[in-house]
Amino acid sequence: MGRGVRQVSLGAAQLQLTTWVARQYSAKIASNPYIVGSFACIGGGLFGLDISSMSGVLSNDAYKKAVGYPASNAQGGIVAAMPAGSFAGALCVGLLADKLGRKKTIILSALIWVAGSIFQCAAVNRAMLVVGRVISGISVGMASAIVPIYQSEITEPRLRGRIVSLQQWSITWGILFQYFVEFGCSYIDGAASFRIPWGLQMIPAIILSVGMLLFPESPRWLIDHGRDVEALQVLADLHGNGSPDAEIVQREYEEIQEQVRFEHTEGAKSYFDLLKPGIIRRVGLGASLQMWSQLSGINIMMYYIIYVFQGAGLTGRRGNLVADSVQYVLNMALTVPAIIYIDKWGRRSMLLAGTFLTGFWLMLVGGLQGKYGQWGDVDGSRVWVITGHAGPTKAVMVCSYLFVCSFAVTMGPVSWTYPAEIFPMRVRAKAVSVATATNWLFNFALAWAVPPALASIAYKTYFIFGAFNFAAFVHVFFMFPETKGRTLEEIEKVFADGRLFSAWKLGKTVQPGASRMSSKVC
């Protein structure tokens, strides 16, 4: 882009006078790191709303009638329409976040969600529903990519992991909230039983789009666009109680300026930058982590939990809905310890524990299904189901609950935190968008493939996803370095230290001789 980075050193009084008119946010809100870091998470909650908006209607007769009683492949296509849109939306973030800014991109994603919700609520056939889900997917893809970027760029290193992991928690809240709305509306006769929940899901997006007007823009983006004075004021409000002379403000401001100055000498921002030495390794880590989070099998237990419990032998629509709700409550509750301790436990240990445990529970589910199940008929559909074995039925349910608990307390939050903090600023928006797009690409494939898989290879589906988790464990052990507690600029030194296939050897402190300005071989 060729812009220079101006040194700005203003006293508090002069800065306040200079930026009094320019400030377009609430300084009081900006001074609270938890409020300023968590509000944007409503964007993550939109994904959770979508998960429940579909899983809650899979056994709804009014919904089935409205969309022409879809078979397993057609239902998979309807569900997959949302991640298909999300894939495109995530890729758009690379351009939008750099041009419009982080804040405006979040607002735009919320407005697009409202449009998608209107289409879904008013859908009179399968095609209109798919269009609405694609539009909503674009919104979710944008929000899932931009919210972690925004959070990582406005929070202190000591809180960054905790704040960014709130993205995952907001997803679980979205799932839980929408599921109980769907549950309550399931007692309504006719199309209102699914149209009301689909209409209500636009309310959080409206709150997000309006509320973000009170929040500051990312100081890193402001400096990157030559708006140094505004950036210093934002940093002062974020970390210095309004004082630009605070030590933490001056230190972070100088670090960002130094980093941006260096990055501007590297050339124009483009997706080709992601292929450069020192960057491509991190793109691979970010994208593969998002891939593994999907291949963990979490979508089976979220979108299609009703099918899982049907196969376990749990019959009755209301009973199944209650059992499903327990799954979503556990998902939300067990994310809390991860938020609290992610900056203490570390990213690597959480990923290693999570991938091993999720693989273990899925293997147990597959083994129980294989030993005690057989092909049968459930609501007119051919299903591999456990019948006449109360113990194995309960065991499958318990293993499913433990799987979700294991994911929620480990990989769920880290899969959003890690990609948001490992990239240098010049490619951060585009690199995170590629990583997030990978998430949605695999989400799309699995959302479509799981119903036919369960209908054809049945319990073997769980073995496949269990094997994916064990493969992820090996990958993380050898290639994922620890990043907890480091500034975004210090993380450059982590990757300059090398250790491409021996990440476990990287100590808690970075080699003093490693320079973020010479990261050419990572």
Side-chain angles (χ1 to χ4, degrees):
M1 296 169 58
R3 293 187 299 271
V5 180
R6 303 185 303 277
Q7 293 289 338
V8 177
S9 179
L10 301 175
Q14 184 181 357
L15 180 62
Q16 183 176 6
L17 179 63
T18 303
T19 62
W20 180 76
V21 178
R23 182 190 283 154
Q24 299 177 6
Y25 60 90
S26 168
K28 186 174 183 179
I29 287 178
S31 66
N32 189 311
Y34 290 98
I35 293 178
V36 77
S38 63
F39 184 80
C41 286
I42 295 176
L46 301 181
F47 177 34
L49 294 176
D50 175 80
I51 290 175
S52 291
S53 72
M54 288 309 303
S55 65
V57 300
L58 292 179
S59 60
N60 187 315
D61 293 332
Y63 161 77
K64 293 178 182 178
K65 180 179 179 180
V67 295
Y69 297 96
S72 60
N73 187 59
Q75 181 58 55
I78 294 172
V79 174
M82 192 283 298
S86 299
F87 175 75
L91 289 178
C92 289
V93 165
L95 176 63
L96 294 175
D98 284 339
K99 296 296 183 182
L100 299 180
R102 290 25 172 167
K103 174 179 172 178
K104 290 181 180 178
T105 303
I106 293 173
I107 294 174
L108 178 60
S109 71
L111 296 177
I112 294 175
W113 175 268
V114 172
S117 297
I118 292 173
F119 267 86
Q120 292 183 72
C121 182
V124 295
N125 54 43
R126 192 181 302 176
M128 189 172 178
L129 174 60
V130 168
V131 170
R133 288 184 57 74
V134 169
I135 294 173
S136 293
I138 293 172
S139 165
V140 169
M142 292 172 59
S144 62
I146 190 59
V147 170
I149 294 173
Y150 179 76
Q151 291 174 309
S152 68
E153 292 182 351
I154 63 172
T155 54
E156 300 177 50
R158 66 184 181 88
L159 296 175
R160 189 178 62 241
R162 183 177 301 174
I163 293 297
V164 176
S165 65
L166 289 173
Q167 166 85 339
Q168 177 65 22
W169 199 40
S170 69
I171 294 175
T172 68
W173 269 107
I175 294 172
L176 188 65
F177 175 80
Q178 182 72 0
Y179 191 82
F180 281 117
V181 172
E182 294 270 4
F183 195 172
C185 290
S186 69
Y187 290 92
I188 301 174
D189 292 328
S193 62
F194 64 88
R195 294 195 191 280
I196 290 175
W198 289 355
L200 291 177
Q201 66 183 357
M202 70 178 70
I203 295 177
I206 295 173
I207 294 173
L208 177 62
S209 61
V210 175
M212 280 302 297
L213 297 174
L214 301 176
F215 287 75
E217 179 56 85
S218 159
R220 283 179 169 82
W221 183 84
L222 291 171
I223 290 178
D224 193 35
H225 286 71
R227 296 161 62 175
D228 302 50
V229 174
E230 295 174 63
L232 186 55
Q233 179 65 69
V234 170
L235 286 170
D237 291 332
L238 287 172
H239 309 314
N241 294 319
S243 171
D245 297 321
E247 181 181 355
I248 186 174
V249 173
Q250 289 293 325
R251 183 172 65 250
E252 186 170 1
Y253 178 72
E254 291 173 2
E255 279 190 352
I256 296 172
Q257 276 203 322
E258 180 183 2
Q259 186 71 9
V260 171
R261 184 187 305 109
F262 167 70
E263 288 165 352
H264 283 174
T265 65
E266 292 293 289
K269 297 179 180 179
S270 74
Y271 278 101
F272 289 107
D273 288 340
L274 304 184
L275 303 178
K276 291 182 177 179
I279 303 299
I280 191 170
R281 171 191 174 189
R282 283 177 270 186
V283 173
L285 293 178
S288 62
L289 181 56
Q290 291 283 19
M291 175 192 73
W292 290 129
S293 73
Q294 290 302 311
L295 292 178
S296 69
I298 190 63
N299 269 337
I300 300 179
M301 302 303 182
M302 292 292 111
Y303 276 126
Y304 300 119
I305 186 60
I306 190 170
Y307 294 160
V308 175
F309 287 166
Q310 277 182 352
L314 184 64
T315 58
R317 179 181 172 194
R318 294 292 181 260
N320 210 317
L321 287 172
V322 171
D324 298 351
S325 68
V326 174
Q327 183 99 320
Y328 296 139
V329 170
L330 291 173
N331 186 35
M332 182 274 295
L334 269 294
T335 303
V336 176
I339 295 172
I340 296 174
Y341 295 110
I342 187 172
D343 288 314
K344 181 178 181 180
W345 292 342
R347 285 48 159 167
R348 270 179 58 84
S349 59
M350 293 176 71
L351 288 174
L352 291 171
T355 52
F356 178 82
L357 289 173
T358 50
F360 176 75
W361 299 125
L362 285 178
M363 289 296 185
L364 281 183
V365 171
L368 289 167
Q369 287 271 16
K371 181 174 178 59
Y372 296 100
Q374 60 185 346
W375 288 110
D377 183 271
V378 177
D379 296 332
S381 300
R382 182 172 177 264
V383 175
W384 184 274
V385 60
I386 297 174
T387 55
H389 299 283
T393 293
K394 294 177 181 178
V396 168
M397 294 174 62
V398 170
C399 288
S400 299
Y401 291 151
L402 291 173
F403 167 87
V404 169
C405 290
S406 299
F407 182 89
V409 79
T410 57
M411 178 173 277
V414 178
S415 66
W416 295 107
T417 303
Y418 199 85
E421 63 187 3
I422 62 175
F423 299 112
M425 183 176 172
R426 74 178 184 276
V427 297
R428 185 171 299 133
K430 289 181 173 60
V432 172
S433 75
V434 168
T436 308
T438 304
N439 177 299
W440 294 117
L441 180 63
F442 281 85
N443 190 315
F444 166 76
L446 296 176
W448 201 327
V450 166
L454 292 174
S456 58
I457 61 174
Y459 66 90
K460 297 176 184 177
T461 304
Y462 302 104
F463 291 144
I464 293 173
F465 284 101
F468 283 143
N469 281 285
F470 293 138
F473 177 91
V474 175
H475 187 198
V476 170
F477 180 80
F478 284 102
M479 299 188 68
F480 281 70
E482 183 57 73
T483 58
K484 72 169 183 177
R486 296 182 171 110
T487 67
L488 296 176
E489 285 68 37
E490 286 173 343
I491 289 174
E492 291 298 294
K493 295 181 180 180
V494 171
F495 287 95
D497 194 59
R499 305 191 186 279
L500 181 61
F501 299 107
S502 56
W504 78 89
K505 293 183 178 179
L506 185 67
K508 294 182 179 179
T509 58
V510 184
Q511 293 294 331
S515 171
R516 65 176 175 268
M517 301 306 177
S518 60
S519 178
K520 301 295 184 184
V521 294
C522 344

